[in-house]
Amino acid sequence: MADNDEAGGSGKPFWELSQEMEEEPHRYENAAEDTDPDYATPSGVGDDTTDGTTGDATTDDGSERTDGSQPKRQRKDRRPNVLGTVKEEFTEVSSTGHPTAPKKLVGGYAAQLGCILRSTVSINTENLRHRDRGNLRNLLFTKLHERYKFPGDFANTRLSGNKVNSAALTKMSTALATWRAAVKRMILRGDSYEKIKGKNPSISEADYLEFKIKCESNASAESSQWGKDMRDLNLGVHKLGPGGYRVAEPKWDKEDAERAAQGLPPLFDKYHEKQTRNYVRARYKVDPVTKELTTDPKVKDLERVLVRNTPPRN
């Protein structure tokens, strides 16, 4: 659907990547297996390293230990999360689109988004925000709103103008990257399809074979290197203050209008996309003495990459 079409082109714009790296810095790294959100501790069991009992430690033959030592606790396999079937209601949402009440639902929200993601898309899917993924996004949002009821302004499946859906899509994108990383680790260490299927029920054999080829190909290695290079270029959080872009953009618009009145082009006009232009502009500051815009060398390095990859205007 048109409302769901945001990011275009054959790849993500830099502004989108940089925003995701600021919000979810681990997204472009292999997530640690012990923190993999794909799996949960089995219900009714204390933690995932015990069998839930509280009796005294025993030896292998069943007798109690008398030396005061404790046996090494065995880690239990965690079962895949399951998507809930009862529709539940969030009554409050933050300004960033994240549900905040009731608290008992908030804790499991991210895991449920992961369930929706894995039950809807193939593990070979990439870039949920691509312009060609509009129908897929609409399906994800439809399932999200079948699972949860949100306050009135957010009770729709649009991406544009709906902060709940936008924030959920970011979390789903992170869940997709984590899922792919977890399965990739299993493939590279030689786990069979049967074992991978046991932990990832939604993966078909055809999807598995396609993903396995990608993981073992040179293209996968090049993609991983690209991700590492992008992390090196990440500048971290902007220095705009509490109001962030919301406060800065009107000031920038006024400055550009004043320059236009003087017959001058807008600042940072070499970047065609507004988001990229604002991202770089937020890392500059006015020198109190010279009154000129200054920045640090790392921003300059990033700009050289951006300019090199920015096509000329028609």
Side-chain angles (χ1 to χ4, degrees), residues 15-205:
W15 66 267
E16 183 177 314
L17 286 166
S18 60
Q19 177 181 346
E20 291 174 357
M21 285 189 286
E22 287 183 8
E23 295 176 350
E24 306 285 349
H26 66 280
R27 180 176 171 193
Y28 293 90
E29 300 174 1
N30 286 340
E33 290 187 59
D34 285 346
T35 59
D36 191 340
D38 291 0
Y39 309 105
T41 302
S43 59
V45 177
D47 61 42
D48 63 1
T49 60
T50 70
D51 61 2
T53 61
T54 58
D56 294 333
T58 62
T59 61
D60 291 339
D61 62 3
S63 61
E64 294 185 6
R65 288 182 180 269
T66 58
D67 59 1
S69 64
Q70 293 293 326
K72 183 177 181 180
R73 295 186 295 179
Q74 298 298 312
R75 180 177 295 277
K76 286 182 176 291
D77 286 338
R78 288 177 283 182
R79 297 180 303 188
N81 282 331
V82 177
L83 183 63
T85 56
V86 177
K87 187 169 185 176
E88 297 173 299
E89 181 177 2
F90 283 112
T91 55
E92 295 180 13
V93 173
S94 72
S95 60
T96 56
H98 296 92
T100 55
K103 293 292 186 183
K104 65 178 182 179
L105 298 183
V106 173
Y109 183 60
Q112 289 292 282
L113 291 179
C115 289
I116 293 172
L117 180 281
R118 290 187 296 279
S119 67
T120 307
V121 310
S122 162
I123 193 170
N124 295 297
T125 303
E126 298 178 1
N127 191 2
L128 296 178
R129 290 184 182 270
H130 192 279
R131 65 171 61 184
D132 293 338
R133 308 281 189 271
N135 290 335
L136 182 57
R137 288 193 295 272
N138 188 60
L139 180 57
L140 288 168
F141 295 150
T142 297
K143 289 187 176 182
L144 171 63
H145 288 269
E146 287 174 350
R147 176 66 180 87
Y148 294 107
K149 181 179 179 181
F150 298 95
D153 292 344
F154 305 110
N156 60 70
T157 59
R158 296 191 301 272
L159 177 57
S160 178
N162 190 324
K163 290 185 178 181
V164 165
N165 291 343
S166 182
L169 187 62
T170 296
K171 286 186 176 294
M172 289 181 186
S173 296
T174 302
L176 175 59
T178 303
W179 182 30
R180 288 166 60 91
V183 173
K184 179 179 178 179
R185 284 194 301 272
M186 296 181 75
I187 289 174
L188 295 182
R189 71 184 178 213
D191 290 350
S192 66
Y193 167 66
E194 289 72 21
K195 183 173 182 179
I196 292 173
K197 176 73 172 179
K199 286 195 171 185
N200 301 272
S202 62
I203 296 182
S204 68
E205 188 168 8

Side-chain angles (χ1 to χ4, degrees), residues 14 211-212 246-247 253 294 307:
F14 178 83
F211 188 66
K212 186 173 186 287
R246 177 179 56 81
V247 173
D253 291 341
T294 62
V307 172

Side-chain angles (χ1 to χ4, degrees), residues 218-232:
N218 291 332
S220 178
E222 292 171 0
S223 178
S224 296
Q225 183 59 46
W226 176 84
K228 293 175 183 177
D229 292 342
M230 292 302 294
R231 287 200 304 276
D232 290 339

Side-chain angles (χ1 to χ4, degrees), residues 249-302:
E249 285 187 12
K251 295 180 181 178
W252 293 339
D253 291 341
K254 182 178 179 181
E255 291 175 1
D256 289 342
E258 292 173 351
R259 289 178 62 85
Q262 300 172 25
L264 300 173
L267 292 171
F268 304 96
D269 189 43
K270 55 189 174 185
Y271 305 117
H272 306 170
E273 290 181 327
K274 178 181 178 181
Q275 292 90 342
T276 302
R277 188 162 58 246
N278 287 353
Y279 181 86
V280 174
R281 193 168 187 168
R283 272 80 186 167
Y284 273 79
K285 61 182 180 180
V286 177
D287 186 286
V289 177
T290 65
K291 305 302 180 182
E292 295 181 352
L293 287 172
T294 62
T295 191
D296 57 60
K298 192 171 181 179
V299 175
K300 291 290 188 181
D301 290 340
L302 172 63

